Amino acid sequence: MSPARLVLASASALALAACASVPAFPTASVMPLAETGLVGATGDSADDPAIWVSPTDPAKSLILGTNKQEGLVVFALDGSEVQRLPLGPINNVDVRQDLGGPFDLAVASNDTQGISVFSIKRTTGEIAHINDIQTGKTEPYGICLGDGKSNPIAGVTYKDGTVELWKIDGEADGVTGKLLRSVKLATQLEGCVFDEVNGQLVIGEEGHGIWTLAYEEADSQPIELDTIAAGNGLVADVEGVSMWRGKDGKGWIVASAQEANRYVVYERQAPHTPMGAFMLVENTEAGVDGVTHTDGLDIVSAALPGYPRGLLAVQDDANPLKEQDQNFKMVSWADVEAALGLPLLDAE
């Protein structure tokens, strides 16, 4: 190849790479409305939130946040700390409700203990550590919880690209786990979310993109939903993944494109059309700083006080300066809908 052609080829490659990192649509700005207290450790500590909706009083709903230097920290909707469970290096957490009985369930990925399991008393929101399920594999990283056909099912992700499906069995005074299957992707995974209505497990591969897995089909293989090279706004690291759940399997998947400080929204149902991207900017009136480098996030579509169309909770890397104590920011899903012009769907 001639020097001139080599220069042109190199320029074309750089242009394509640049296009791949910039969304094909503008990145909208949304302001968080509130924030939690600090997780209580300096440096890189907060990682992933999970939202529990109180069935008796929505105002008493909770945000469970991980402090990966200490354990689980629980916040009220006003951001105040209500409970702390120092169980070691917990990285991700997820909640499932309406599983029957007086308790809801939460699971967390514990670097040293495997899957840490918690009960949430439906009448009071009190959280108790039930048990730890050893996975037999080093350093469980991400975790999500789904309502299986007969039992809750946990998806556990690892840095070597493995995702495991675990059947969770037992009552509030003790649980056990059984490995159902394991699937291997190429590189490091973290965020995941179950979509029981559509039979999909959505998985984030940090350096590549997003996958779906038909988790109830024994021989299913992962299918690409989006990649960082596709030009839809997704970049490495692909971190938190969650879902706004509408009726009839409709809704929105949201993924954190960490290095770009933005979030990409897709249709929940295949073919998972990209709907836009947004960033979280400073809310000077509320005294809440903007959000950068989000790890984990969670969404509920239930109406809560101040959040009529649901709540999005995200981890904030710098609060307000990097290496200071981290926390979680709360965002009204109605503001995301308005910023991106999303159709107003009925909540699940």
Side-chain angles (χ1 to χ4, degrees), residues 4 26 77 80 90 104 111 127 141 154 158 161 186 212 245 253 279 287 303-304 313 324:
L77 289 184
S80 62
I90 287 177
D104 292 324
D111 286 357
I127 298 174
Y141 200 46
Y158 295 86
T212 63
R245 300 170 190 269
I253 295 169
M279 62 189 302
L304 302 175
Q324 292 192 355

Side-chain angles (χ1 to χ4, degrees), residues 329-347:
K329 301 299 194 287
M330 287 99 91
V331 182
S332 172
W333 186 252
D335 291 342
V336 177
E337 290 174 325
L340 297 185
L342 297 176
L344 298 184
L345 306 176
D346 292 331

Side-chain angles (χ1 to χ4, degrees), residues 129-143:
H129 176 224
I130 303 172
N131 195 12
D132 296 308
I133 300 169
Q134 294 288 348
T135 67
K137 189 171 172 61
T138 303
E139 195 180 358
Y141 200 46
I143 200 163

